[in-house]
């Protein structure tokens, strides 16, 4: 008697199983393809933005390249302030620059000497003029004597600045171990200072707008430095940070004193005749007059104002 044969086993996968596997494989391929496509698209968009989008910041029409910053003491007479403003306003108008005036009392500096107001005043000027490039902080006891010299070409043009730089020079005279850089390029300079025989001259200097400038001002105005009671207040604080903060030194350029900051009087300890005003110099300043009881800033500057006025009138007549 024959036994029933067992059901035959098929070696091929049933159609429904093959279809299931095929569908799963297709889904994986589609998913991988979608991911690759998204990746390619993302890379394309990034490259397009980097290579073809404009990185130029729009500068509004009429923006001044230079802002002249002057911090006035409320104790100054109105007549004197009027003369200072007249001198700066006429110079600024010649080149399309802008003037910014403020008072030492406009800022909260606590118990610190009022000269510290210079730093928040610069930040204030930068906030109001966000697209301007250079900020010339000028002592209230200084006048433009040679209006034919534009700040941008006289000092800040890269090649001109490179020709003026005092390279590998002690930052603080006479023998600071920290020296200015010898390889700095003019277009990389953000802070331009002069230096006399007694130290750095923070009463008149040039600062370039930017993130570095904000860092520099924040560092300089640190409450810790204001609490140190430095003999020359913000002046000695500046000398400290310039020497011991490499990030600041890397953007600093020292230039010859009379290029930016000639003196009204011959003071031997500050450099004598080498830094005293000569005909044709750019700016004249009554250095230290506010700290010397034997001197009167307004009276000392009056003859220089009169000379500037005469020269101005002669120029107009020609």
């Amino acid at each position: 008697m024959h036994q029933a044969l067992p059901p035959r086993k098929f070696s091929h996968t049933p159609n429904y199983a093959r279809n299931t596997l095929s569908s799963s494989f297709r889904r994986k391929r589609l998913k991988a393809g979608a991911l690759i496509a998204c990746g390619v698209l993302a890379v394309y968009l990034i490259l397009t933005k980097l290579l073809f989008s404009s990185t130029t910041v729009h500068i509004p029409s009429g923006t001044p390249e230079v802002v002249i910053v002057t911090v006035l003491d409320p104790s100054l007479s109105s007549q004197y302030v009027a003369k200072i403003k007249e001198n700066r306003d006429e110079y600024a108008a010649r080149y399309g620059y802008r003037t910014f005036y403020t008072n030492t009392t406009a800022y909260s500096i606590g118990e610190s000497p009022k000269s510290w107001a210079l730093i928040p005043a610069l930040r204030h000027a930068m906030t109001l003029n966000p697209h301007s490039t250079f900020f010339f902080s000028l002592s209230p006891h200084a006048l433009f004597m040679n209006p034919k010299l534009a700040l941008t070409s006289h000092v800040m043009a890269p090649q001109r600045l490179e020709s003026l730089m005092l390279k590998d020079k002690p930052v603080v005279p006479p023998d600071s171990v920290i020296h200015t850089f010898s390889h700095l390029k003019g277009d990389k300079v953000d802070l331009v200072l002069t230096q006399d025989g007694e130290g750095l001259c923070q009463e008149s200097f040039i600062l370039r707008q930017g993130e570095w400038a904000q860092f520099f001002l924040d560092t300089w105005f640190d409450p810790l430095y204001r609490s140190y009671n430095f003999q020359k207040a913000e002046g000695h604080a500046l000398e400290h940070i310039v020497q011991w903060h490499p990030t600041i030194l890397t953007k600093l350029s020292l230039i010859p004193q009379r290029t930016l900051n000639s003196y009204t009087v011959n003071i031997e300890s500050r450099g004598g005749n080498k830094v005293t005003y000569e005909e044709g110099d750019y700016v004249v300043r009554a250095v230290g007059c506010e700290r010397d009881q034997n001197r009167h800033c307004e009276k000392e500057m009056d003859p220089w104002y009169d000379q500037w006025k005469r020269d101005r009138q002669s120029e107009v007549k020609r």
Side-chain angles (χ1 to χ4, degrees):
M1 185 174 181
H2 295 285
Q3 300 291 326
L5 294 174
R8 182 176 295 178
K9 295 182 179 180
F10 297 96
S11 60
H12 62 276
T13 305
N15 287 336
Y16 73 87
R18 186 163 56 244
N19 290 340
T20 303
L21 291 174
S22 177
S23 298
S24 175
F25 180 68
R26 281 199 300 271
R27 283 197 298 271
K28 289 181 179 179
R29 288 187 64 182
L30 289 172
K31 186 177 181 180
L35 291 173
I36 292 172
C38 289
V40 171
L41 179 61
V43 171
Y44 172 78
L45 292 174
I46 291 172
L47 291 176
T48 300
K49 185 174 182 179
L50 290 176
L51 296 176
F52 300 104
S53 64
S54 174
T55 57
T56 303
V57 177
H58 173 68
I59 299 178
S61 177
T63 296
E65 187 174 9
V66 175
V67 177
I68 302 165
V69 180
T70 307
V71 184
L72 300 164
D73 192 314
S75 65
L76 297 173
S77 72
S78 58
Q79 294 85 356
Y80 181 73
V81 170
K83 292 176 181 179
I84 293 297
K85 289 184 175 183
E86 180 189 5
N87 174 262
R88 284 155 170 70
D89 290 346
E90 285 202 16
Y91 175 76
R94 178 183 288 238
Y95 298 105
Y97 300 164
R98 181 172 293 165
T99 53
F100 173 82
Y101 303 104
T102 187
N103 292 317
T104 56
T105 56
Y107 310 99
S108 177
I109 56 174
E111 299 298 320
S112 303
K114 58 188 176 183
S115 56
W116 278 100
L118 164 68
I119 302 167
L122 275 166
R123 289 196 298 206
H124 187 184
M126 288 182 169
T127 301
L128 294 179
N129 300 276
H131 300 292
S132 296
T133 305
F134 303 115
F135 291 77
F136 185 10
S137 176
L138 187 59
S139 165
H141 308 303
L143 292 170
F144 290 101
M145 297 301 291
N146 188 349
K148 296 179 181 179
L149 300 175
L151 181 71
T152 45
S153 58
H154 177 56
V155 179
M156 295 309 299
Q159 289 187 341
R160 167 64 173 169
L161 185 53
E162 288 174 22
S163 72
L164 293 171
M165 288 180 188
L166 301 177
K167 301 177 180 179
D168 196 26
K169 183 177 179 65
V171 174
V172 178
D175 53 6
S176 170
V177 297
I178 308 298
H179 287 211
T180 56
F181 284 14
S182 58
H183 57 274
L184 189 60
K185 297 297 183 182
D187 60 351
K188 301 300 182 182
V189 172
D190 287 346
L191 175 62
V192 177
L193 285 162
T194 60
Q195 174 201 77
D196 64 22
E198 294 186 6
L200 296 176
C201 304
Q202 82 284 356
E203 290 90 351
S204 297
F205 65 92
I206 304 167
L207 185 62
R208 187 195 300 267
Q209 173 94 273
E211 292 182 1
W212 184 91
Q214 296 299 326
F215 161 77
F216 165 68
L217 293 175
D218 287 346
T219 303
W220 192 7
F221 200 60
D222 192 305
L224 182 63
Y225 297 137
R226 283 183 281 146
S227 70
Y228 278 174
N229 197 27
F230 287 118
Q231 182 181 4
K232 292 184 179 179
E234 80 289 351
H236 279 162
L238 176 62
E239 292 180 352
H240 173 81
I241 64 173
V242 164
Q243 290 185 95
W244 306 115
H245 287 261
T247 305
I248 293 176
L249 185 63
T250 57
K251 295 288 187 176
L252 165 70
S253 173
L254 293 180
I255 63 174
Q257 181 73 16
R258 287 183 35 237
T259 305
L260 191 67
N261 196 17
S262 302
Y263 292 160
T264 58
V265 292
N266 184 331
I267 302 175
E268 192 60 35
S269 63
R270 288 187 176 271
N273 287 326
K274 292 182 180 179
V275 297
T276 305
Y277 177 85
E278 293 183 11
E279 189 69 27
D281 283 354
Y282 182 45
V283 169
V284 68
R285 179 165 75 91
V287 60
C289 65
E290 66 276 15
R291 298 188 181 93
D292 190 337
Q293 295 182 352
N294 297 318
R295 296 168 64 189
H296 192 284
C297 295
E298 297 189 24
K299 290 181 179 179
E300 191 169 312
M301 290 303 298
D302 273 344
W304 298 98
Y305 170 81
D306 293 340
Q307 179 180 329
W308 166 75
K309 195 71 173 177
R310 288 193 300 269
D311 292 344
R312 176 72 174 133
Q313 291 171 347
S314 298
E315 183 181 10
V316 171
K317 290 179 181 179
R318 289 199 298 267

